[in-house]
Structure formats: structure tokens, C-alpha cells
């Protein structure tokens, strides 16, 4: 991954979408994973051969979601 550090807060209405850009002449194609909201839109571009990096990202997202679920269960009002 190229280096870029930024911060954005996910909100309940954050959207995610995947777009396939099929191979064209001289290009192997790619997939765009976009995560966005009102002010921030993050696009991750994945080319063939990088599927494992996306799978690792998905596992980390699941781990983070599970941690948030645990936090919500331990707070009196259910909010993190």
C-alpha cells in the first residue's frame, strides 16, 4: 500500500460500494472499494493479485466491529 495517513469517523449512515473496472487493452482491470459519507469519500483501488490484502482488511473490520459490540454491551446506556 502506498503511504497516506488520514482520519475519518464512521457514522451509522456511512456507505460502502464496490465497482468493477473490467480489463481493457493494455490494462488488467481493477476493483474500487469506496467508503463514504457526507464529507469524506475513501477509494481503495485493488488490482489482480491483491485480493489477500482486501481479505485482511475485511477480517480487521470484522474484529473492530466485534470490539464495538463488546463495548456497547458494557456501557450502561448501550452507547460506546
Amino acid at each position: 500500500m502506498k503511504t497516506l495517513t488520514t482520519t475519518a469517523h464512521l457514522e451509522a449512515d456511512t456507505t460502502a460500494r464496490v465497482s468493477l473496472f473490467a480489463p481493457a487493452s493494455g490494462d488488467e482491470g481493477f476493483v474500487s472499494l469506496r467508503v463514504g459519507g457526507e464529507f469524506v469519500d475513501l477509494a481503495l483501488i485493488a488490482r489482480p493479485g491483491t485480493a489477500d490484502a482486501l481479505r485482511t482488511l475485511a477480517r480487521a473490520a470484522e474484529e473492530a466491529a466485534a470490539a464495538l459490540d463488546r463495548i456497547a454491551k458494557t456501557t450502561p446506556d448501550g452507547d460506546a
Side-chain angles (χ1 to χ4, degrees), residues 23-71:
S25 178
D27 185 3
E28 60 189 356
F30 63 94
V31 170
S32 169
L33 169 60
R34 297 182 78 90
V35 179
E38 187 174 342
F39 299 110
V40 176
D41 195 29
L42 170 68
L44 298 174
I45 306 301
R47 296 202 177 274
T50 61
D52 285 344
L54 283 177
R55 288 184 186 98
T56 299
L57 177 62
R59 283 191 297 272
E62 284 291 336
E63 183 179 335
L68 288 174
D69 290 341
R70 288 191 301 275
I71 289 169

